[in-house]
Amino acid sequence: MADLEVFKNLSFEKVERCMSVMQSGTQMVKLKNGSKGLVRLFYLDEHRSCIRWRPSRKSEKAKITIDSLYKVCEGRQSDIFHRHAEGNFDPGCCFTIYHGNHMESLDLVTTNPEEARTWVTGLRYLMAGISDEDSLAKRQRTHDQWMKQTFEEADKNGDGLLNIEEIYQLLHKMNVNLPRRKVKQMFQEADTDDQQGTLTYEEFSVFYKMMSLRRDLFLLLMCFSEKKDHLTAEELGNFLRTEQKMANVTTEYCLDVIDKFEVSEENKTKCVMGIEGFTNFVRSPACDVFNPLHNEVNQDMDQPLCNYYIASSHNTYLTGDQLLSHSKTDMYAWVLQSGCRCVEVDCWDGPDGEPMVQHGYTLTSKITFKSVIETIDKYAFINNEYPVILSIENHCSIQQQKKIAQHLKEIFRDKLDVGELLNKESKTLPSPNSLKGKILIKGKRLPPYLSADVEEGEVSDDDSADEIEDDFKLKNSGSNGPSQHQVESYIRKKLDSLVKESQIGDKEDTDSFSIRALLRATHEGLHMNLKQNSNLKEGIKKSTSRSFISNLKHKRHSKSRFKSQSSDTEEDGLQEASGKDVGQPNRSGRRRKTIKLSRDLSDLVVFTNSVASQACLEESTPGNVLSFSEARAQQLVHHRAERLISFNQRQLSRIYPSAYRIDSSNFNPQPYWNVGCQLVALNYQTEGRMMQLNRSKFMVPSTRSVMTLSPAYPKKQLVLKIISGQQLPKPPDSMLGDRGEIIDPFVEVEIIGLPVDCCKEQTRVVDDNGFNPVWEETLSFTLHMAELVLVRFLVWDHDPIGRDFVGQRTVAFSSLMPGYRHVYLEGLTEASIFIHVTVHDIYGKWSPLVLNPSYTIMHFLGANKGRQLRGFRGLFNRTSKSTVDAHSGVPLRKRSISDHLLRRTASAPAKGRKKTKMGLSEAASDRKNSTVDPQAVQATHSAVERRVPPRPPLQHRPASMPLEKLLQGALALSSPNQEGPDPGADTMVEN
């Protein structure tokens, strides 16, 4: 990537020339897989916020926002350009735009090099400006862009003006349910120019401000201003100290806040803040629910490496599923800059002596090992100075292993040098601070009994390197490749046999890892990829290992036998599951696989030596890293949690997804974080609930991508007052889209942590108001281990047949800010909920402390080990609570005058009634024909409390559910009274 500083320093004339050309539009060829290219007109929109093109069947959705751009590359560097080699395009006319969370590429060809250079320069300049913004500037810019985009989309005839009918349609789209008389009155007040009957953009901005006046914030302001319509600097300081719990608030600070957020020049002169300035301040990043101090390193980084959670990626090179998707070096650049500190590199023998990176025995594409290492070297420490762990999965011959070692040493150079930290007598791992700028190679080491002059030796091959199941492997069968139909039929047959055999346990969540999801991956997602892989070169041959069905039966038998054993024989069962020493037969009579390892590669492994997954978890060298599949790790969590915690307090462990997750779905990482597993590897390319949890765990810029296991505190009581919502959109999967009815929102808060803490609570439903609904409800939660808790805010649209997902935001408990805060929904520009956060300490009966990095669990338990272990296991095995502890003994926070005011004046929800879905035209007709006085209706609604449907008890199930139950329940079509799944879950619907 070119240095962005260069583009910040371009002359104003050159920048404006680039912007002018881009906004005028340039005709370019858009390359796609399996096509000859499409000629389209690409242009930068007038707000310089997104790239658009036409013609397009996507109409308004045919755009890429500047915010989503990752990088712009000149020349023919992308995979698509390589596939179009026969096009013989001039490299000077080619460039690629990488964008989005999945590193999508837009590959373009201009008619001359000058046009390409103009676009590359202009886009890089825009990206440099965005990267240089502070949070407040970015918030203001995105708001301004949203306003302009909203105006343009409402302007149906494109005349730059909005008439009253266009305003009505816009308000319906924005979920505003106001009487037409009130809308018309505000419209007339805003329409002040000579062109009566329409609103310009400036007039629309005035209209929007009138419509958006926040009653809750106005009452809050009056509370602290002695019922005036403004705050003095002293009153603002009182609000910040009393409610926002800010310390050391000075008069100078308050005056600076007024100067920065107040709109009225008159108010600035008087050093007071009116409602508009107060609204700007409370909606700014300064009052976000996330602690701004956590945007920087705020923890002790001098503890041993095992005391930190480390953001980890699985099969980092893949862009999609595990069988047919593309491998890209750009994925390493993306995840590293996203905060990931452990990436995976699967190495296989390649042509011309150059090792390749790919998912072995599958049809995923290949990239060179050297290009991967060069990318990692370039991007490892751009946003983060802490160490990067390379998990090398070695399948190469000795000769190509030596090539791997050569590339690592030549490209990484002194980044691999940790000699000064190497102390064989040390019983602890080095700290992140001592490893700044270093790259650690995680892989196999030759046994210590081999003399130093031995060039190679045998090591076990029982780590995650061969993680894909034998019966999913697609092996070469000669030079003649299979047809598309053969490949598709083969993969479908494998998955269909899984369903018929019914032996795959649901590893975490029916929504994220069900057979339905796997079938969708096969019949839909993989089918699309097959179309893009019509020229397949590799054949298919069934594995020579035991049959697929007998393999599954064996797994089922082993699993049931494991569960029925006593505590003593459980240990043996775990040993069987994870194997013995190299060359030793396990109980099935098969010997462990071994591979030849080069001394050159072995010597590069220092602090992160991959060893067999010893079930006993006995103390060994701190540098030994154990890897477990999610199924093996799950067994340990259920049967050996205390031992796994004790192990993780001195060594590293890595958890990776099951081989059955061929759709690249993700398991729930929280159970493994609960027991201190540091390297919980997820498929970063798959968006959904699990990656949302992962982001919230490491929810800071890449300057801090690890979290310490802090000492345990007393229990906490988290009190959340859900006050109101702002600009909540219609559900993304709404059948009628913007024409659908106005939403009936409610908020659900989910606590995710130890099983004893996991629970959900929700507010009542507010009818027909997504623009400014008011709930004014208090939810309370008791947390036994608050440091592990993630707090997930979800907004749903209630309807008679269930609920539709609107949006979510997940925040670590430790990053919650007290007081009045806005929770902006992830991925939505303006949508938020307004809450008040209070945390109390609860002192009472002592619970066993877990996950303290300074001591082992046994040290805590002491002489009462037996009794305390039973209580300890209860924290992990107890059914998650569905309601909060009502007898905590801690009095609720006394209501302030602002609470009383807000509660007294909050709009009551509409009375219960059966809803009928209607489109925009029907709704408009219904309003038009209505003769009921809107004020009378509002008064009636305020007087009648809405009947809230009873909340069904939360259903909890073991982490591994037999498939028979899945087939009977989860795979059946949802009945009308069933709740829908959390759309944040990892289902193929999202992918």
Side-chain angles (χ1 to χ4, degrees), residues 649-700:
Q649 288 174 342
R650 61 182 184 270
Q651 291 178 236
L652 295 172
S653 64
R654 178 177 180 266
I655 315 299
Y656 57 88
S658 164
Y660 290 117
R661 294 186 182 274
I662 61 171
D663 59 344
S664 292
S665 60
N666 281 313
F667 57 85
N668 182 6
Q670 188 66 42
Y672 309 110
W673 289 332
N674 286 347
V675 292
C677 296
Q678 303 89 347
L679 300 159
V680 182
L682 298 182
N683 291 299
Y684 270 58
Q685 72 272 29
T686 303
E687 185 52 50
R689 173 186 171 92
M690 305 316 168
M691 271 306 296
Q692 290 163 2
L693 299 186
N694 194 70
R695 275 198 298 273
S696 67
K697 186 74 171 178
F698 305 100
M699 188 59 184
V700 290

Side-chain angles (χ1 to χ4, degrees), residues 183 408 424:
V183 174
L408 290 172
K424 294 183 179 179

Side-chain angles (χ1 to χ4, degrees), residues 119 235 343 383 433 442 453 528 540 583 629 678 694 721 742 852 869 891 919 936 946 949:
W119 274 84
E235 291 165 344
V343 296
N383 296 328
N433 269 344
K442 174 184 167 292
D453 58 352
M528 293 178 63
I540 300 175
S629 72
Q678 303 89 347
N694 194 70
K721 179 183 290 182
I742 293 173
N852 188 318
L869 273 178
R946 187 182 193 275

